[in-house]
Amino acid sequence: PNLQPIACNRRDCPSRWMVTSWSHCTQSCGGGIQNRRVTCQKLTATGNSVPMSNDVCAQVAKRPVDTQSCNRQLCVEWATSAWGQCNGPCVGSRLSLQHRQVFCQTRDGISVSADQCGSLPRPLSTQNCWTDVCSVHWRVSLWTLCTATCGNYGFQSRRVECVRVHTNKPVQEHLCSWRPRPANWQRCNITPCENIECRDTTRYCEKVKQLKLCQLTQFKSRCCGTCGKA
């Protein structure tokens, strides 16, 4: 047979204390307060909740507290000493290192166990630093004109020197040795000379011809157009 639900206990429930959830604590540490609402209510047979006098519920049970302390742990924070001296040579992309002390303390400055700061991000105790030894770099000039317009013997050069980063003052080259030294010369215009129009590569070629310097190799290659004329 099909079971049919029937109503039962159709009388009002006894009055009782009702509480809400605790509010957020007023402090994150060092002791705060949180509250909740406490009321006396009766659930009627019709399913409605009716407010009642606190005295009615007090006869049934002790009134729950509506205030309590919270987050009573000490207020702590990470503290650090000043960074120590920057030590160590520059090697490759690595820089020198410096250290500092990191310790846990209360907000009143009292040192406590580091475990008590375990939930907080810990500051670095070591970092890379930039010493005077590292404050140098290679400085290069522009490439000179190629010594030939074609063939296998053209080359060009440039000046390479080690200088201070901030002042550009030249220093001894070994101070830059932790960085690769740029090339100070290279081959250029390495192409066959056949069927290539000979062109001057400087505007002083007429003067070179007047001074009869065309027989010199460095001028002949740069002024091959002018020097090649009858």
Side-chain angles (χ1 to χ4, degrees):
N2 294 330
L3 299 178
Q4 297 294 329
I6 59 174
C8 59
N9 295 332
R10 301 182 64 177
R11 61 184 181 275
D12 293 346
C13 293
S15 299
R16 62 175 181 173
W17 296 110
M18 303 293 291
V19 296
T20 60
S21 299
W22 288 107
S23 65
H24 291 293
C25 192
T26 57
Q27 299 291 335
S28 60
C29 60
I33 298 295
Q34 55 187 172
N35 304 295
R36 66 180 177 181
R37 187 178 179 189
V38 179
T39 57
C40 180
Q41 298 186 23
K42 179 176 72 174
L43 186 64
T44 66
T46 58
N48 296 321
S49 184
V50 178
M52 303 294 291
S53 168
N54 286 346
D55 294 337
V56 175
C57 286
Q59 297 176 8
V60 179
K62 183 180 179 181
R63 185 181 188 275
V65 296
D66 57 6
T67 302
Q68 70 176 7
S69 61
C70 51
N71 292 340
R72 299 177 65 182
Q73 72 275 14
L74 287 174
C75 291
V76 294
E77 59 189 2
W78 289 112
T80 62
S81 64
W83 285 108
Q85 186 176 356
C86 194
N87 294 313
C90 298
V91 180
S93 59
R94 294 176 54 194
L95 302 179
S96 300
L97 292 176
Q98 59 185 167
H99 305 271
R100 67 178 177 182
Q101 292 182 336
V102 177
F103 46 92
C104 182
Q105 67 177 22
T106 67
R107 291 181 179 174
D108 297 330
I110 301 173
S111 295
V112 295
S113 169
D115 295 339
Q116 297 194 42
C117 288
S119 62
L120 303 174
R122 191 179 193 277
L124 294 175
S125 59
T126 303
Q127 72 174 3
N128 291 125
C129 54
W130 194 257
T131 66
D132 202 36
V133 175
C134 304
S135 300
V136 292
H137 69 144
W138 293 109
R139 182 177 64 184
V140 297
S141 65
L142 296 176
W143 289 106
T144 60
L145 291 175
C146 191
T147 58
T149 57
C150 60
N152 296 320
Y153 302 103
F155 72 90
Q156 56 190 165
S157 61
R158 63 180 177 181
R159 187 175 181 180
V160 178
E161 55 187 347
C162 182
V163 299
R164 296 285 183 195
V165 171
H166 302 295
T167 64
N168 275 331
K169 182 180 179 180
V171 294
Q172 294 181 355
E173 286 202 356
H174 75 270
L175 295 177
C176 286
S177 61
W178 60 281
R179 291 185 172 186
R181 189 182 194 278
N184 61 350
W185 79 280
Q186 67 180 6
R187 304 291 292 274
C188 53
N189 293 340
I190 306 176
T191 55
C193 293
E194 294 82 13
N195 299 322
I196 293 182
E197 182 182 357
C198 189
R199 296 181 180 178
D200 295 340
T201 58
T202 175
R203 63 174 183 264
Y204 300 111
C205 290
E206 287 296 336
K207 182 64 67 176
V208 168
K209 187 173 183 180
Q210 292 175 12
L211 296 174
K212 299 181 180 181
L213 299 175
C214 286
Q215 65 271 24
L216 299 178
T217 303
Q218 63 267 35
F219 294 113
K220 184 176 182 180
S221 61
R222 293 188 182 185
C223 300
C224 62
T226 299
C227 290
K229 294 178 183 179

